[in-house]
Amino acid sequence: MSLLRDLAQPILNAPMAGAAGGRLAGAVSAAGGFGMIGIAGAITEEWLAREVPLAAASGRPWGAGMMAWVLDGGLDPVRMVLDHKPDLLCISFGDPGPAAQLARDAGVTTAMQVGNAEDVDRAIEADIDLIVCRGSEGGGHGRGEVATLPLLQLVLDRTDKPVIAAGGIATARGVAAVLAAGAAAAWVGTRFAACTESLSADSLKQAIASAAVDDTVYTRAFDVAQRIPWPSEFGGRAIRNPFTEEWVDRIDELQQRVDSEDELTDRMNAARASGDVTVAPVYAGQSAGLTPRVESAADVIADLARFREHLNAAWVAWQ
């Protein structure tokens, strides 16, 4: 697909709502990758009017990611995004059908994240152009069922569509690994979430840069506490903190508490507003342990572009 073949670097930033705004997407595209903005559930035209010009500033293609489950109330958010003429629209976490059809009618390339075999069945249907194979190592919301490498092998064996690998990719070696397997590109979230151009608060970026590979947890606790109606099959991977230590194994009890009083929800919302990472979620994948510092998106792209060295070394060793 020309959308990916024309890239200088086969790297997309994940469309992380709350982190991937126009400045990050624009910096990724300007550095030779493919910039994505993350669309939150309560999207406004004012937000799009501010962020999209930043994403498109390089004159290169850009895209947006949306959550299918928030569109149950109607497709107006999709129409709002399409009015800004993205080159790619990724619709995930639920049935992308109606939104995908709108995008295709507008001449926009469609994508869907998959996290298990059932998702793959849906994604190979004709209305999806690109498949994003997201393993359970990945940060933020998604399925917690299958790791990236087994899922990638499954998807590549089942379709001739371009496949983008996601989940746990944060270094040139990771990019080389998925490209060698047959992926068309790598989808990187956590390392870009810690970039200077990310919308994330500085305390969240520092928490990612300080984390180890075994410092994350997959949980619904943050969504329950905030009363965010994510479908139960989509938890979120985040850095462990005192809040998850208290509640990760007590989700039913947490739900009962939130249903009966506002204290926990108010505390979580205040923590998010202030950047208090002892309470608020810092959504990040296991690759947080491979994200050593806060740096620019251009520096990340330049580092990931060294994947060619690793592919060449493997070729020399095994030809």
Side-chain angles (χ1 to χ4, degrees), residues 182-207:
W187 175 284
V188 178
T190 298
R191 193 163 176 193
F192 283 120
C195 279
T196 54
E197 298 93 345
S198 165
L199 293 173
S200 296
D202 288 344
S203 57
L204 276 64
K205 297 177 186 179
Q206 291 296 338

Short mmCIF file of all heavy atoms in Angstrom, two decimals, residues 182-207:
data_model
loop_
_atom_site.label_atom_id
_atom_site.label_comp_id
_atom_site.label_asym_id
_atom_site.label_seq_id
_atom_site.Cartn_x
_atom_site.Cartn_y
_atom_site.Cartn_z
N GLY A 182 7.59 -9.97 8.62
CA GLY A 182 6.68 -9.69 7.51
C GLY A 182 5.77 -8.51 7.72
O GLY A 182 4.95 -8.20 6.85
N ALA A 183 5.87 -7.83 8.86
CA ALA A 183 5.05 -6.65 9.08
C ALA A 183 5.46 -5.55 8.10
O ALA A 183 6.63 -5.44 7.71
CB ALA A 183 5.20 -6.15 10.52
N ALA A 184 4.50 -4.71 7.73
CA ALA A 184 4.78 -3.61 6.83
C ALA A 184 5.35 -2.41 7.56
O ALA A 184 6.01 -1.55 6.95
CB ALA A 184 3.50 -3.20 6.10
N ALA A 185 5.10 -2.33 8.87
CA ALA A 185 5.57 -1.18 9.66
C ALA A 185 5.41 -1.53 11.13
O ALA A 185 4.77 -2.54 11.50
CB ALA A 185 4.78 0.08 9.32
N ALA A 186 5.99 -0.69 11.97
CA ALA A 186 5.89 -0.84 13.42
C ALA A 186 5.09 0.32 13.99
O ALA A 186 5.24 1.48 13.58
CB ALA A 186 7.28 -0.88 14.06
N TRP A 187 4.26 0.01 14.96
CA TRP A 187 3.36 0.96 15.63
C TRP A 187 3.89 1.10 17.05
O TRP A 187 3.88 0.16 17.82
CB TRP A 187 1.99 0.34 15.58
CG TRP A 187 0.80 0.92 16.24
CD1 TRP A 187 0.48 0.90 17.56
CD2 TRP A 187 -0.34 1.50 15.57
NE1 TRP A 187 -0.77 1.43 17.77
CE2 TRP A 187 -1.29 1.82 16.55
CE3 TRP A 187 -0.62 1.77 14.23
CZ2 TRP A 187 -2.52 2.39 16.25
CZ3 TRP A 187 -1.85 2.34 13.94
CH2 TRP A 187 -2.78 2.66 14.92
N VAL A 188 4.38 2.28 17.40
CA VAL A 188 5.08 2.49 18.66
C VAL A 188 4.30 3.48 19.52
O VAL A 188 4.00 4.59 19.05
CB VAL A 188 6.51 3.02 18.39
CG1 VAL A 188 7.24 3.30 19.70
CG2 VAL A 188 7.29 2.00 17.55
N GLY A 189 4.00 3.09 20.75
CA GLY A 189 3.24 3.96 21.63
C GLY A 189 4.04 4.51 22.78
O GLY A 189 4.29 5.70 22.89
N THR A 190 4.48 3.62 23.68
CA THR A 190 5.06 4.04 24.95
C THR A 190 6.23 4.99 24.78
O THR A 190 6.31 6.01 25.48
CB THR A 190 5.48 2.79 25.74
OG1 THR A 190 4.31 2.00 26.02
CG2 THR A 190 6.15 3.18 27.04
N ARG A 191 7.13 4.70 23.88
CA ARG A 191 8.31 5.56 23.75
C ARG A 191 7.91 6.95 23.27
O ARG A 191 8.49 7.96 23.67
CB ARG A 191 9.34 4.92 22.82
CG ARG A 191 10.69 5.62 22.92
CD ARG A 191 11.81 4.80 22.35
NE ARG A 191 13.05 5.57 22.39
CZ ARG A 191 14.15 5.23 21.74
NH1 ARG A 191 14.17 4.10 21.01
NH2 ARG A 191 15.24 5.98 21.81
N PHE A 192 6.91 7.03 22.40
CA PHE A 192 6.44 8.33 21.94
C PHE A 192 5.62 9.05 23.02
O PHE A 192 5.59 10.29 23.05
CB PHE A 192 5.63 8.19 20.66
CG PHE A 192 6.47 7.98 19.43
CD1 PHE A 192 6.32 6.83 18.66
CD2 PHE A 192 7.40 8.92 19.03
CE1 PHE A 192 7.08 6.64 17.52
CE2 PHE A 192 8.17 8.74 17.89
CZ PHE A 192 8.01 7.59 17.13
N ALA A 193 4.95 8.30 23.88
CA ALA A 193 4.20 8.94 24.97
C ALA A 193 5.11 9.74 25.88
O ALA A 193 4.69 10.71 26.51
CB ALA A 193 3.44 7.89 25.77
N ALA A 194 6.38 9.32 25.97
CA ALA A 194 7.36 10.01 26.82
C ALA A 194 8.13 11.09 26.07
O ALA A 194 9.07 11.65 26.63
CB ALA A 194 8.33 8.99 27.41
N CYS A 195 7.75 11.39 24.83
CA CYS A 195 8.47 12.40 24.06
C CYS A 195 8.13 13.82 24.51
O CYS A 195 7.06 14.07 25.08
CB CYS A 195 8.14 12.26 22.58
SG CYS A 195 9.07 10.97 21.74
N THR A 196 9.01 14.74 24.19
CA THR A 196 8.78 16.14 24.55
C THR A 196 7.50 16.67 23.90
O THR A 196 6.83 17.53 24.48
CB THR A 196 9.97 17.01 24.12
OG1 THR A 196 10.22 16.81 22.72
CG2 THR A 196 11.22 16.64 24.90
N GLU A 197 7.15 16.18 22.71
CA GLU A 197 5.96 16.68 22.01
C GLU A 197 4.66 16.05 22.48
O GLU A 197 3.58 16.47 22.05
CB GLU A 197 6.11 16.44 20.50
CG GLU A 197 7.29 17.17 19.87
CD GLU A 197 8.55 16.32 19.83
OE1 GLU A 197 8.59 15.28 20.54
OE2 GLU A 197 9.48 16.67 19.08
N SER A 198 4.73 15.04 23.33
CA SER A 198 3.53 14.38 23.82
C SER A 198 2.69 15.32 24.68
O SER A 198 3.22 16.20 25.37
CB SER A 198 3.92 13.15 24.65
OG SER A 198 2.83 12.67 25.42
N LEU A 199 1.37 15.13 24.64
CA LEU A 199 0.46 15.89 25.49
C LEU A 199 0.52 15.46 26.95
O LEU A 199 -0.03 16.16 27.81
CB LEU A 199 -0.98 15.74 24.98
CG LEU A 199 -1.31 16.35 23.62
CD1 LEU A 199 -2.73 15.95 23.22
CD2 LEU A 199 -1.17 17.86 23.65
N SER A 200 1.15 14.35 27.25
CA SER A 200 1.21 13.84 28.62
C SER A 200 1.93 14.83 29.53
O SER A 200 2.85 15.54 29.12
CB SER A 200 1.94 12.50 28.66
OG SER A 200 1.25 11.52 27.94
N ALA A 201 1.50 14.86 30.80
CA ALA A 201 2.16 15.71 31.79
C ALA A 201 3.60 15.25 31.99
O ALA A 201 3.93 14.07 31.80
CB ALA A 201 1.40 15.65 33.11
N ASP A 202 4.46 16.17 32.39
CA ASP A 202 5.86 15.83 32.60
C ASP A 202 6.04 14.72 33.62
O ASP A 202 6.93 13.87 33.47
CB ASP A 202 6.63 17.07 33.07
CG ASP A 202 6.82 18.10 31.96
OD1 ASP A 202 6.63 17.74 30.78
OD2 ASP A 202 7.15 19.25 32.28
N SER A 203 5.19 14.68 34.65
CA SER A 203 5.32 13.63 35.67
C SER A 203 5.04 12.26 35.08
O SER A 203 5.66 11.26 35.47
CB SER A 203 4.37 13.90 36.84
OG SER A 203 3.03 14.00 36.38
N LEU A 204 4.12 12.18 34.11
CA LEU A 204 3.83 10.90 33.45
C LEU A 204 5.00 10.48 32.57
O LEU A 204 5.37 9.30 32.54
CB LEU A 204 2.55 11.00 32.62
CG LEU A 204 1.22 10.80 33.37
CD1 LEU A 204 0.99 11.89 34.40
CD2 LEU A 204 0.06 10.73 32.39
N LYS A 205 5.59 11.43 31.87
CA LYS A 205 6.74 11.11 31.02
C LYS A 205 7.91 10.60 31.86
O LYS A 205 8.57 9.62 31.50
CB LYS A 205 7.16 12.34 30.23
CG LYS A 205 6.11 12.86 29.26
CD LYS A 205 6.59 14.14 28.57
CE LYS A 205 5.50 14.75 27.71
NZ LYS A 205 5.92 16.00 27.05
N GLN A 206 8.14 11.24 32.99
CA GLN A 206 9.24 10.81 33.86
C GLN A 206 8.96 9.43 34.45
O GLN A 206 9.88 8.62 34.63
CB GLN A 206 9.46 11.84 34.96
CG GLN A 206 10.02 13.16 34.48
CD GLN A 206 11.42 13.03 33.89
OE1 GLN A 206 12.15 12.08 34.17
NE2 GLN A 206 11.80 14.00 33.06
N ALA A 207 7.68 9.14 34.75
CA ALA A 207 7.33 7.83 35.28
C ALA A 207 7.62 6.74 34.26
O ALA A 207 8.11 5.65 34.61
CB ALA A 207 5.86 7.80 35.69
#
